[in-house]
Amino acid sequence: MTMFDLSGKVAVVTGANTGLGQAIAVAMAAAGASIVGVGRSSMDETEAAVRKAGAGFHAIKADLGSIEPTKDIIDETVATFGKLDILINNAGIIRRADAIDFTEADWDAVMDTNLKSVFFLSQAAARHMLDRGSGKIINIASLLSFQGGIRIPSYTASKSGLAGLTRLLACEWAGKGINVNAIAPGYFVTNNTTALREDPERSAGILARIPAGHWGDPAQLGGAAVFLASRASDYVHGIVLPVDGGWLAR
Ligand code: NAP
């Protein structure tokens, strides 16, 4: 299992206080990485779980609705742990309304958080990683990187854009020691999907389409993140890896 060992590695996980980000942070900690949790809410629960897994933890308070904190996040990580090996761009939001009624505010908020901040945080991280000649960047994409969906125009645009950005960054940085890849989660039980799960019709329709027969448990995403963060994926560049219970296969 040494191929998947993250001992001695330092990983930044955005939106690590809850949901998929928390599960990814805990999985990476269990594989040996020290974790920097970045977000706008308390990281206490994640910190406790990471420390229970035997790993170091540092919290950085930052609102990724703007790119203003991006450089400081990387600087504080390097000041705390001496380096940065892995960046997980997980923080993201969703706004739901019919396309015909969708507002500029809902467009901008989602694009700024899900796409613009991801690019500029990746740029800041890569400036450090390129100096060291190694690094792993993992973007949390979506099934909406492949499909259209309904009532989430800015979310679909941002996640489809994120798939393209993943490929572009992989093309620019693969030859310089940085792996850039993405994970496309299917339907997982988190705050992001509360509205869907509370709508009996949508919830049943989604469940009926998942070959695995159940919604994803956030813990089921950790293995893919550890894989893409580890030596096991050193020749993997620019992929968007679905972890979706078979949704896209149907
Ligand atoms: P979630 O529970 O809503 O988590 C979203 C995370 O992003 C939270 O930690 C949230 O912090 C953080 N965040 C949002 N806006 C932020 C901002 N301006 N600054 C800093 N942090 C911010 O939902 P989730 O499902 O775990 O989502 C994680 C990622 O997975 C997202 O990119 C989402 O699009 C993606 N995803 C989820 C699913 C799914 O089925 N759940 C499927 C596909 C993709 P707060 O708690 O403070 O708001």
Side-chain angles (χ1 to χ4, degrees):
M1 296 304 286
T2 52
M3 274 197 145
F4 298 93
D5 186 13
L6 300 181
S7 300
K9 302 290 185 189
V10 177
V12 166
V13 184
T14 67
N17 58 297
T18 185
L20 303 186
Q22 182 178 68
I24 290 169
V26 172
M28 311 263 290
S34 299
I35 306 297
V36 176
V38 178
R40 55 189 181 179
S41 303
S42 162
M43 298 277 164
D44 290 355
E45 197 181 291
T46 304
E47 174 164 8
V50 164
R51 291 201 186 280
K52 199 172 163 204
F57 185 86
H58 178 73
I60 298 179
K61 196 114 189 170
D63 185 339
L64 291 165
S66 93
I67 68 167
E68 189 261 324
T70 50
K71 183 179 178 299
D72 288 348
I73 290 167
I74 305 305
D75 289 349
E76 189 172 329
T77 298
V78 175
T80 305
F81 285 119
K83 61 172 181 162
L84 166 63
D85 300 291
I86 302 155
L87 169 64
I88 313 270
N89 286 308
N90 165 77
I93 56 172
I94 193 164
R95 299 277 168 86
R96 298 177 196 276
D98 292 341
I100 202 73
D101 299 322
F102 212 74
T103 64
E104 184 180 5
D106 283 344
W107 180 271
D108 287 346
V110 172
M111 295 298 274
D112 286 351
T113 306
N114 294 12
L115 196 53
K116 188 173 178 183
S117 288
V118 168
F119 173 68
F120 284 100
L121 188 58
S122 300
Q123 183 189 64
R127 286 178 176 157
H128 169 77
M129 291 171 174
L130 289 172
D131 283 346
R132 303 180 64 238
S134 70
K136 303 266 187 181
I137 297 176
I138 302 166
N139 297 322
I140 303 305
S142 166
L143 296 179
L144 286 316
S145 302
F146 303 100
Q147 301 180 309
I150 52 167
R151 308 192 71 247
I152 46 172
S154 56
Y155 188 80
T156 298
S158 71
K159 295 296 187 178
S160 296
L162 188 55
L165 182 64
T166 300
R167 290 188 280 268
L168 172 130
L169 296 178
C171 290
E172 289 208 17
W173 297 338
K176 298 175 177 171
I178 302 178
N179 296 73
V180 186
N181 289 293
I183 296 171
Y187 288 88
F188 280 73
V189 178
T190 69
N191 299 334
N192 176 287
T193 54
T194 303
L196 290 180
R197 283 179 289 110
E198 285 176 352
D199 177 338
E201 209 172 301
R202 293 279 332 262
S203 178
I206 287 166
L207 183 59
R209 227 207 100 151
I210 302 174
H214 62 89
W215 286 62
D217 175 333
Q220 293 177 304
L221 203 70
V226 169
F227 166 62
L228 290 175
S230 72
R231 206 159 55 76
S233 61
D234 275 355
Y235 199 56
V236 178
H237 294 280
I239 65 157
V240 184
L241 174 64
V243 180
D244 65 352
W247 176 278
L248 288 175
R250 179 148 252 164

